[in-house]
Amino acid sequence: MKFSEVIGQREAQQRLMQLVEEHRLPHALMLCGPTGCGKMALAIGLAQVLLSRTPNDEAMLDKLEHPDLHFTYPTIKLQSMSADHKPVSDDFVQQWHEMLTAGPYFTMNEWLEQMGGDNQQAIITAGESDDLIRKLSLKSSQGGYKVSVIWLPERMNTECANKILKLLEEPPSQTVFIMVSEEPDRLLETIRSRVQRIDIRKIADSDIRQALIEKRGLSDDVAQRLTRMANGSWLKALEMLSTDSENELFLDLFQSLMRLAYQRKVKDLKAWSERLGTMGREQQKRFLEYFLRLVRENFMYNFGQPELCYMTQREEDFARNFARFINEANVLPISDLATLAIRDIGQNANGRIVFFDFALQMIVLLIQK
Protein backbone atom coordinates (compact mmCIF):
# COMPACT_ATOMS: atom_id res chain seq x y z
CA MET A 1 0.00 0.00 0.00
CA LYS A 2 1.44 3.33 -1.09
CA PHE A 3 0.88 6.52 0.90
CA SER A 4 -1.50 7.66 -1.83
CA GLU A 5 -3.79 4.74 -0.99
CA VAL A 6 -3.94 5.43 2.76
CA ILE A 7 -7.33 6.76 3.87
CA GLY A 8 -6.74 10.30 5.15
CA GLN A 9 -3.89 10.87 7.61
CA ARG A 10 -2.18 13.41 5.35
CA GLU A 11 -0.58 15.17 8.30
CA ALA A 12 1.02 11.90 9.49
CA GLN A 13 2.16 11.10 5.95
CA GLN A 14 3.78 14.51 5.60
CA ARG A 15 5.59 14.14 8.91
CA LEU A 16 6.98 10.73 7.95
CA MET A 17 8.05 11.96 4.51
CA GLN A 18 9.74 14.98 6.08
CA LEU A 19 11.81 12.69 8.30
CA VAL A 20 12.92 10.74 5.23
CA GLU A 21 13.63 13.75 3.01
CA GLU A 22 15.56 15.60 5.71
CA HIS A 23 17.56 12.46 6.58
CA ARG A 24 16.29 12.57 10.16
CA LEU A 25 14.60 9.17 10.14
CA PRO A 26 15.38 7.39 13.44
CA HIS A 27 16.25 3.69 13.45
CA ALA A 28 13.04 2.93 15.39
CA LEU A 29 9.59 4.48 15.11
CA MET A 30 6.40 3.59 16.96
CA LEU A 31 3.07 4.53 15.39
CA CYS A 32 0.43 4.68 18.12
CA GLY A 33 -3.31 5.20 17.83
CA PRO A 34 -6.77 3.66 18.08
CA THR A 35 -7.96 0.65 16.10
CA GLY A 36 -8.95 1.50 12.54
CA CYS A 37 -6.99 4.76 12.21
CA GLY A 38 -4.61 3.34 9.60
CA LYS A 39 -1.37 2.72 11.53
CA MET A 40 -0.48 -0.42 9.58
CA ALA A 41 -1.33 1.30 6.29
CA LEU A 42 1.07 4.12 7.20
CA ALA A 43 3.77 1.64 8.24
CA ILE A 44 3.56 -0.18 4.91
CA GLY A 45 3.48 3.14 3.06
CA LEU A 46 6.69 4.21 4.80
CA ALA A 47 8.29 0.84 4.04
CA GLN A 48 7.39 1.36 0.37
CA VAL A 49 9.17 4.73 0.39
CA LEU A 50 12.30 3.30 2.04
CA LEU A 51 12.59 0.17 -0.09
CA SER A 52 11.51 1.43 -3.54
CA ARG A 53 14.81 1.85 -5.39
CA THR A 54 14.01 0.14 -8.70
CA PRO A 55 10.92 -0.94 -10.68
CA ASN A 56 11.66 -4.47 -9.49
CA ASP A 57 11.46 -3.28 -5.87
CA GLU A 58 8.11 -1.66 -6.55
CA ALA A 59 6.75 -4.83 -8.15
CA MET A 60 7.77 -6.93 -5.14
CA LEU A 61 6.40 -4.35 -2.70
CA ASP A 62 3.06 -4.25 -4.50
CA LYS A 63 2.79 -7.97 -3.70
CA LEU A 64 4.23 -7.44 -0.18
CA GLU A 65 6.97 -9.92 -1.07
CA HIS A 66 10.11 -7.76 -0.84
CA PRO A 67 12.99 -9.76 0.74
CA ASP A 68 14.07 -6.78 2.87
CA LEU A 69 10.60 -6.23 4.36
CA HIS A 70 10.08 -8.30 7.50
CA PHE A 71 6.80 -8.56 9.44
CA THR A 72 6.52 -9.58 13.09
CA TYR A 73 3.10 -10.21 14.63
CA PRO A 74 1.41 -12.09 17.49
CA THR A 75 0.93 -15.81 16.92
CA ILE A 76 -0.68 -18.80 18.61
CA LYS A 77 0.36 -22.39 19.20
CA LEU A 78 -1.50 -24.90 17.05
CA GLN A 79 -2.14 -28.48 18.14
CA SER A 80 -0.04 -29.67 15.21
CA MET A 81 3.07 -27.96 16.66
CA SER A 82 5.50 -29.89 18.85
CA ALA A 83 5.54 -29.27 22.59
CA ASP A 84 8.89 -27.44 22.57
CA HIS A 85 8.17 -25.30 19.48
CA LYS A 86 7.96 -21.56 20.03
CA PRO A 87 5.58 -20.18 17.37
CA VAL A 88 7.05 -17.56 15.05
CA SER A 89 5.61 -15.30 12.38
CA ASP A 90 6.92 -17.54 9.59
CA ASP A 91 4.58 -20.30 10.83
CA PHE A 92 1.67 -18.13 9.68
CA VAL A 93 3.22 -16.25 6.77
CA GLN A 94 0.59 -17.44 4.28
CA GLN A 95 -2.30 -16.36 6.51
CA TRP A 96 -0.60 -13.01 7.19
CA HIS A 97 -0.04 -12.39 3.48
CA GLU A 98 -3.70 -13.16 2.75
CA MET A 99 -4.80 -10.78 5.53
CA LEU A 100 -2.58 -7.93 4.35
CA THR A 101 -3.43 -8.47 0.69
CA ALA A 102 -7.11 -8.03 1.56
CA GLY A 103 -6.23 -4.68 3.15
CA PRO A 104 -4.12 -3.22 5.99
CA TYR A 105 -7.15 -2.41 8.14
CA PHE A 106 -7.96 -5.34 10.45
CA THR A 107 -8.36 -6.29 14.11
CA MET A 108 -6.78 -8.85 16.40
CA ASN A 109 -10.03 -10.84 16.36
CA GLU A 110 -9.86 -11.03 12.58
CA TRP A 111 -6.23 -12.13 12.75
CA LEU A 112 -7.04 -14.82 15.33
CA GLU A 113 -9.78 -16.11 13.07
CA GLN A 114 -7.35 -16.13 10.14
CA MET A 115 -4.90 -18.24 12.17
CA GLY A 116 -7.67 -20.57 13.38
CA GLY A 117 -7.41 -19.76 17.06
CA ASP A 118 -10.47 -17.76 18.11
CA ASN A 119 -10.18 -18.68 21.80
CA GLN A 120 -6.41 -18.36 22.22
CA GLN A 121 -4.22 -15.53 23.44
CA ALA A 122 -1.86 -14.41 20.68
CA ILE A 123 1.64 -13.33 21.74
CA ILE A 124 5.04 -12.59 20.21
CA THR A 125 7.39 -15.26 21.54
CA ALA A 126 11.10 -15.38 22.29
CA GLY A 127 11.39 -17.66 19.29
CA GLU A 128 10.22 -14.76 17.15
CA SER A 129 12.89 -12.42 18.51
CA ASP A 130 15.57 -15.04 17.78
CA ASP A 131 14.24 -15.42 14.25
CA LEU A 132 14.17 -11.64 13.70
CA ILE A 133 17.73 -11.21 14.99
CA ARG A 134 18.88 -13.86 12.52
CA LYS A 135 17.08 -12.24 9.58
CA LEU A 136 18.33 -8.73 10.30
CA SER A 137 21.91 -9.88 10.77
CA LEU A 138 22.02 -10.67 7.04
CA LYS A 139 22.95 -8.04 4.49
CA SER A 140 20.20 -6.29 2.57
CA SER A 141 19.45 -8.37 -0.50
CA GLN A 142 18.82 -5.25 -2.57
CA GLY A 143 21.63 -3.10 -1.20
CA GLY A 144 19.41 -0.59 0.65
CA TYR A 145 17.38 -0.51 3.84
CA LYS A 146 16.01 -3.46 5.78
CA VAL A 147 12.61 -2.68 7.30
CA SER A 148 11.13 -4.53 10.27
CA VAL A 149 7.42 -3.89 10.87
CA ILE A 150 6.30 -5.12 14.30
CA TRP A 151 2.52 -5.23 14.75
CA LEU A 152 1.30 -4.94 18.36
CA PRO A 153 4.70 -5.05 20.11
CA GLU A 154 2.84 -4.79 23.43
CA ARG A 155 2.06 -8.50 22.98
CA MET A 156 5.72 -9.52 23.28
CA ASN A 157 6.37 -11.80 26.23
CA THR A 158 9.10 -10.75 28.69
CA GLU A 159 11.87 -12.83 27.15
CA CYS A 160 11.07 -11.57 23.68
CA ALA A 161 10.84 -7.92 24.82
CA ASN A 162 14.28 -8.09 26.44
CA LYS A 163 15.84 -9.50 23.28
CA ILE A 164 14.14 -6.88 21.10
CA LEU A 165 15.42 -4.21 23.51
CA LYS A 166 18.98 -5.36 22.91
CA LEU A 167 18.33 -5.28 19.16
CA LEU A 168 17.10 -1.68 19.43
CA GLU A 169 20.13 -0.72 21.50
CA GLU A 170 22.50 -2.17 18.89
CA PRO A 171 20.54 -1.99 15.63
CA PRO A 172 21.92 -3.73 12.53
CA SER A 173 23.24 -1.44 9.80
CA GLN A 174 20.64 0.33 7.62
CA THR A 175 17.73 -1.22 9.52
CA VAL A 176 14.54 0.67 10.35
CA PHE A 177 12.08 -0.67 12.91
CA ILE A 178 8.44 0.43 12.58
CA MET A 179 6.29 -0.60 15.53
CA VAL A 180 2.51 -0.41 15.22
CA SER A 181 0.96 -0.18 18.68
CA GLU A 182 -2.49 0.29 20.19
CA GLU A 183 -1.46 0.02 23.86
CA PRO A 184 2.06 1.47 24.05
CA ASP A 185 1.92 1.82 27.83
CA ARG A 186 2.09 -1.98 28.09
CA LEU A 187 5.58 -1.95 26.57
CA LEU A 188 8.75 -1.87 28.64
CA GLU A 189 9.71 1.70 29.46
CA THR A 190 13.21 0.94 28.19
CA ILE A 191 11.78 0.02 24.78
CA ARG A 192 9.58 3.12 24.66
CA SER A 193 12.59 5.29 25.43
CA ARG A 194 14.45 3.93 22.40
CA VAL A 195 11.81 4.60 19.78
CA GLN A 196 10.42 7.82 18.38
CA ARG A 197 6.70 7.80 19.09
CA ILE A 198 4.28 9.27 16.57
CA ASP A 199 0.64 9.46 17.64
CA ILE A 200 -1.86 8.83 14.86
CA ARG A 201 -5.24 10.49 15.27
CA LYS A 202 -8.61 9.18 14.24
CA ILE A 203 -9.34 9.56 10.54
CA ALA A 204 -11.09 12.82 9.68
CA ASP A 205 -14.81 12.43 8.94
CA SER A 206 -14.38 14.08 5.54
CA ASP A 207 -11.79 11.47 4.53
CA ILE A 208 -13.95 8.52 5.63
CA ARG A 209 -16.96 9.97 3.84
CA GLN A 210 -14.98 10.50 0.63
CA ALA A 211 -13.54 6.96 0.80
CA LEU A 212 -17.00 5.45 1.29
CA ILE A 213 -18.26 7.27 -1.79
CA GLU A 214 -15.23 6.59 -4.00
CA LYS A 215 -14.21 3.10 -2.85
CA ARG A 216 -17.63 1.67 -1.94
CA GLY A 217 -19.92 3.56 -4.29
CA LEU A 218 -22.26 4.84 -1.58
CA SER A 219 -24.58 7.77 -1.93
CA ASP A 220 -23.65 10.95 -0.11
CA ASP A 221 -26.49 10.54 2.42
CA VAL A 222 -25.60 6.94 3.34
CA ALA A 223 -21.88 7.77 3.44
CA GLN A 224 -22.55 10.68 5.78
CA ARG A 225 -24.58 8.53 8.19
CA LEU A 226 -21.95 5.78 8.26
CA THR A 227 -19.17 8.32 8.71
CA ARG A 228 -20.75 9.71 11.86
CA MET A 229 -21.14 6.20 13.27
CA ALA A 230 -17.56 5.23 12.34
CA ASN A 231 -16.15 7.85 14.73
CA GLY A 232 -12.82 8.11 12.94
CA SER A 233 -12.32 4.37 12.33
CA TRP A 234 -12.26 2.92 8.83
CA LEU A 235 -12.75 -0.53 10.37
CA LYS A 236 -15.96 0.64 12.04
CA ALA A 237 -17.17 2.06 8.74
CA LEU A 238 -16.53 -1.29 7.04
CA GLU A 239 -18.29 -3.10 9.87
CA MET A 240 -21.35 -0.94 9.38
CA LEU A 241 -21.27 -1.80 5.68
CA SER A 242 -21.08 -5.54 6.16
CA THR A 243 -24.32 -7.16 5.06
CA ASP A 244 -23.89 -10.02 7.52
CA SER A 245 -22.80 -7.79 10.36
CA GLU A 246 -23.77 -9.11 13.77
CA ASN A 247 -25.07 -5.60 14.54
CA GLU A 248 -28.24 -6.57 12.69
CA LEU A 249 -28.64 -9.52 15.05
CA PHE A 250 -27.84 -7.32 18.04
CA LEU A 251 -30.47 -4.78 17.01
CA ASP A 252 -33.09 -7.53 16.78
CA LEU A 253 -32.11 -8.73 20.26
CA PHE A 254 -32.21 -5.17 21.64
CA GLN A 255 -35.68 -4.57 20.17
CA SER A 256 -36.98 -7.90 21.46
CA LEU A 257 -35.66 -7.25 24.96
CA MET A 258 -37.23 -3.81 25.20
CA ARG A 259 -40.59 -4.88 23.83
CA LEU A 260 -40.82 -7.99 26.02
CA ALA A 261 -39.65 -6.12 29.13
CA TYR A 262 -42.21 -3.37 28.54
CA GLN A 263 -44.95 -5.99 28.11
CA ARG A 264 -43.66 -7.92 31.15
CA LYS A 265 -43.57 -11.22 29.28
CA VAL A 266 -41.37 -13.13 31.70
CA LYS A 267 -41.67 -16.47 29.92
CA ASP A 268 -40.57 -14.91 26.63
CA LEU A 269 -37.74 -13.07 28.40
CA LYS A 270 -36.56 -16.44 29.72
CA ALA A 271 -36.40 -17.70 26.12
CA TRP A 272 -34.56 -14.49 25.14
CA SER A 273 -31.93 -15.09 27.82
CA GLU A 274 -31.55 -18.72 26.72
CA ARG A 275 -30.79 -17.50 23.20
CA LEU A 276 -28.10 -15.16 24.49
CA GLY A 277 -26.74 -17.97 26.64
CA THR A 278 -25.90 -20.05 23.58
CA MET A 279 -23.49 -17.39 22.29
CA GLY A 280 -19.78 -17.40 23.02
CA ARG A 281 -18.56 -15.09 25.79
CA GLU A 282 -16.87 -12.66 23.43
CA GLN A 283 -20.05 -12.28 21.39
CA GLN A 284 -22.08 -11.86 24.57
CA LYS A 285 -19.79 -9.01 25.63
CA ARG A 286 -20.02 -7.44 22.17
CA PHE A 287 -23.82 -7.48 22.43
CA LEU A 288 -23.68 -5.75 25.81
CA GLU A 289 -21.32 -3.12 24.39
CA TYR A 290 -23.74 -2.63 21.50
CA PHE A 291 -26.58 -2.40 24.06
CA LEU A 292 -24.71 0.37 25.90
CA ARG A 293 -24.23 2.31 22.68
CA LEU A 294 -27.91 2.13 21.75
CA VAL A 295 -29.00 3.18 25.24
CA ARG A 296 -26.77 6.23 24.91
CA GLU A 297 -28.06 7.01 21.41
CA ASN A 298 -31.71 6.71 22.44
CA PHE A 299 -31.12 8.96 25.41
CA MET A 300 -29.54 11.59 23.16
CA TYR A 301 -32.34 11.19 20.62
CA ASN A 302 -34.72 12.63 23.20
CA PHE A 303 -32.89 15.95 22.99
CA GLY A 304 -33.95 16.39 19.37
CA GLN A 305 -30.42 17.08 18.13
CA PRO A 306 -29.61 14.59 15.34
CA GLU A 307 -26.00 15.76 15.09
CA LEU A 308 -25.41 14.17 18.51
CA CYS A 309 -26.81 10.78 17.44
CA TYR A 310 -24.95 8.07 15.56
CA MET A 311 -27.40 5.42 14.41
CA THR A 312 -28.19 3.39 11.31
CA GLN A 313 -31.51 3.99 9.61
CA ARG A 314 -33.00 0.86 11.24
CA GLU A 315 -31.78 1.93 14.68
CA GLU A 316 -33.22 5.40 14.22
CA ASP A 317 -36.55 4.00 13.02
CA PHE A 318 -36.84 2.05 16.28
CA ALA A 319 -35.64 5.00 18.37
CA ARG A 320 -38.39 7.21 16.96
CA ASN A 321 -40.97 5.46 19.17
CA PHE A 322 -38.76 3.88 21.81
CA ALA A 323 -36.35 6.66 22.83
CA ARG A 324 -38.81 8.27 25.24
CA PHE A 325 -38.41 5.25 27.54
CA ILE A 326 -34.72 6.06 28.12
CA ASN A 327 -34.66 9.12 30.33
CA GLU A 328 -32.83 10.93 33.12
CA ALA A 329 -34.27 8.59 35.74
CA ASN A 330 -33.10 5.32 34.26
CA VAL A 331 -30.24 5.93 31.79
CA LEU A 332 -27.51 5.53 34.42
CA PRO A 333 -29.03 2.48 36.19
CA ILE A 334 -29.51 0.77 32.81
CA SER A 335 -25.92 1.55 31.82
CA ASP A 336 -24.65 0.29 35.18
CA LEU A 337 -26.66 -2.90 34.73
CA ALA A 338 -25.04 -3.61 31.35
CA THR A 339 -21.56 -2.76 32.66
CA LEU A 340 -22.05 -5.19 35.55
CA ALA A 341 -23.20 -7.89 33.12
CA ILE A 342 -20.03 -7.38 31.03
CA ARG A 343 -17.96 -7.87 34.17
CA ASP A 344 -19.87 -11.01 35.17
CA ILE A 345 -19.54 -12.54 31.71
CA GLY A 346 -15.82 -11.74 31.74
CA GLN A 347 -15.54 -13.60 35.05
CA ASN A 348 -17.13 -16.73 33.54
CA ALA A 349 -20.55 -16.37 35.15
CA ASN A 350 -23.35 -18.49 33.67
CA GLY A 351 -24.60 -16.49 30.65
CA ARG A 352 -28.19 -17.72 30.88
CA ILE A 353 -28.46 -16.63 34.52
CA VAL A 354 -26.76 -13.29 33.86
CA PHE A 355 -29.04 -12.43 30.95
CA PHE A 356 -32.26 -13.59 32.62
CA ASP A 357 -31.51 -11.41 35.65
CA PHE A 358 -30.57 -8.62 33.23
CA ALA A 359 -33.91 -8.96 31.43
CA LEU A 360 -35.98 -9.03 34.63
CA GLN A 361 -34.35 -5.87 35.94
CA MET A 362 -35.10 -4.16 32.62
CA ILE A 363 -38.83 -4.58 33.39
CA VAL A 364 -38.43 -2.35 36.45
CA LEU A 365 -36.04 0.14 34.89
CA LEU A 366 -38.14 0.83 31.80
CA ILE A 367 -41.07 2.13 33.83
CA GLN A 368 -39.01 4.66 35.79
CA LYS A 369 -39.87 8.27 34.92
Side-chain angles (χ1 to χ4, degrees):
M1 168 169 276
K2 298 179 176 65
F3 273 151
S4 59
E5 301 171 46
V6 176
I7 297 170
Q9 302 298 4
R10 281 176 285 277
E11 182 180 338
Q13 293 179 44
Q14 290 168 3
R15 182 176 179 185
L16 292 172
M17 284 303 301
Q18 187 175 9
L19 290 174
V20 174
E21 292 167 356
E22 296 179 357
H23 305 289
R24 295 189 296 108
L25 186 70
H27 75 277
L29 287 168
M30 183 163 66
L31 308 182
C32 306
T35 301
C37 70
K39 301 180 297 297
M40 178 59 77
L42 288 166
I44 296 175
L46 178 58
Q48 289 257 12
V49 171
L50 297 176
L51 297 173
S52 292
R53 293 159 55 90
T54 67
N56 187 46
D57 285 329
E58 293 183 9
M60 290 187 290
L61 286 166
D62 285 341
K63 298 178 182 178
L64 296 173
E65 295 175 349
H66 196 287
D68 294 324
L69 175 59
H70 306 284
F71 287 102
T72 295
Y73 36 85
T75 57
I76 58 173
K77 189 157 188 172
L78 300 176
Q79 290 184 348
S80 57
M81 296 175 177
S82 63
D84 59 347
H85 178 69
K86 296 178 180 178
V88 295
S89 296
D90 282 354
D91 293 330
F92 298 92
V93 66
Q94 180 179 347
Q95 294 93 326
W96 179 258
H97 189 267
E98 290 173 357
M99 177 74 79
L100 271 189
T101 301
Y105 298 84
F106 51 86
T107 65
M108 172 52 72
N109 285 337
E110 290 173 312
W111 174 229
L112 281 171
E113 185 178 343
Q114 188 83 2
M115 288 190 290
D118 296 10
N119 297 319
Q120 294 193 49
Q121 182 73 14
I123 64 170
I124 302 177
T125 68
E128 176 64 32
S129 57
D130 294 337
D131 207 32
L132 185 59
I133 291 170
R134 177 186 59 79
K135 290 176 181 176
L136 297 180
S137 67
L138 303 174
K139 288 185 177 181
S140 165
S141 67
Q142 304 299 302
Y145 280 108
K146 291 172 289 184
V147 177
S148 170
V149 177
I150 304 177
W151 183 53
L152 303 185
E154 57 265 34
R155 287 181 176 257
M156 294 187 290
N157 64 19
T158 302
E159 187 179 357
C160 175
N162 286 324
K163 290 183 177 182
I164 293 295
L165 173 61
K166 185 172 179 56
L167 194 58
L168 293 173
E169 290 174 335
E170 301 174 10
S173 175
Q174 280 194 292
T175 298
V176 175
F177 295 90
I178 308 173
M179 296 186 176
V180 178
S181 176
E182 291 177 2
E183 299 177 276
D185 290 342
R186 288 177 52 191
L187 273 167
L188 293 176
E189 171 58 32
T190 45
I191 288 181
R192 282 183 280 154
S193 68
R194 284 165 175 77
V195 302
Q196 180 171 328
R197 173 171 173 166
I198 296 179
D199 289 305
I200 310 300
R201 301 175 181 176
K202 294 179 179 180
I203 305 173
D205 284 355
S206 58
D207 291 321
I208 291 182
R209 175 179 160 276
Q210 182 178 356
L212 287 171
I213 294 172
E214 294 180 356
K215 296 178 181 292
R216 301 290 167 163
L218 301 185
S219 68
D220 184 74
D221 180 63
V222 174
Q224 182 67 23
R225 182 179 290 271
L226 288 179
T227 294
R228 290 171 55 212
M229 294 177 60
N231 191 27
S233 168
W234 180 244
L235 281 174
K236 190 67 175 177
L238 294 181
E239 178 186 327
M240 295 293 109
L241 266 180
S242 178
T243 55
D244 60 347
S245 171
E246 66 182 2
N247 282 356
E248 292 294 311
L249 168 64
F250 289 167
L251 176 57
D252 291 338
L253 289 169
F254 181 87
Q255 291 175 337
S256 296
L257 170 64
M258 296 309 181
R259 286 167 176 157
L260 294 174
Y262 179 74
Q263 296 168 4
R264 303 185 183 185
K265 293 186 175 181
V266 176
K267 183 177 180 180
D268 290 334
L269 286 172
K270 183 73 164 66
W272 180 89
S273 64
E274 292 288 333
R275 184 181 179 189
L276 265 294
T278 63
M279 294 180 176
R281 292 192 181 277
E282 290 304 315
Q283 190 174 31
Q284 289 173 345
K285 288 193 287 186
R286 288 198 299 273
F287 166 71
L288 289 166
E289 289 163 359
Y290 175 87
F291 175 93
L292 280 169
R293 182 179 73 81
L294 271 202
V295 167
R296 180 263 180 201
E297 299 303 337
N298 277 270
F299 180 65
M300 297 305 298
Y301 192 88
N302 278 329
F303 288 90
Q305 298 183 30
E307 69 275 7
L308 298 177
C309 299
Y310 304 89
M311 293 186 281
T312 65
Q313 189 62 60
R314 273 196 67 204
E315 291 168 348
E316 187 173 336
D317 289 343
F318 182 70
R320 194 168 292 115
N321 294 319
F322 170 74
R324 59 194 172 94
F325 293 100
I326 305 296
N327 50 59
E328 292 88 341
N330 64 15
V331 63
L332 291 180
I334 289 176
S335 297
D336 290 342
L337 180 64
T339 301
L340 180 62
I342 292 173
R343 187 204 68 182
D344 291 342
I345 293 297
Q347 295 178 350
N348 295 323
N350 185 300
R352 289 176 172 83
I353 295 175
V354 170
F355 282 106
F356 189 43
D357 179 69
F358 181 83
L360 292 178
Q361 292 194 57
M362 283 303 304
I363 295 176
V364 178
L365 291 172
L366 277 184
I367 62 175
Q368 291 188 11
K369 297 182 179 179

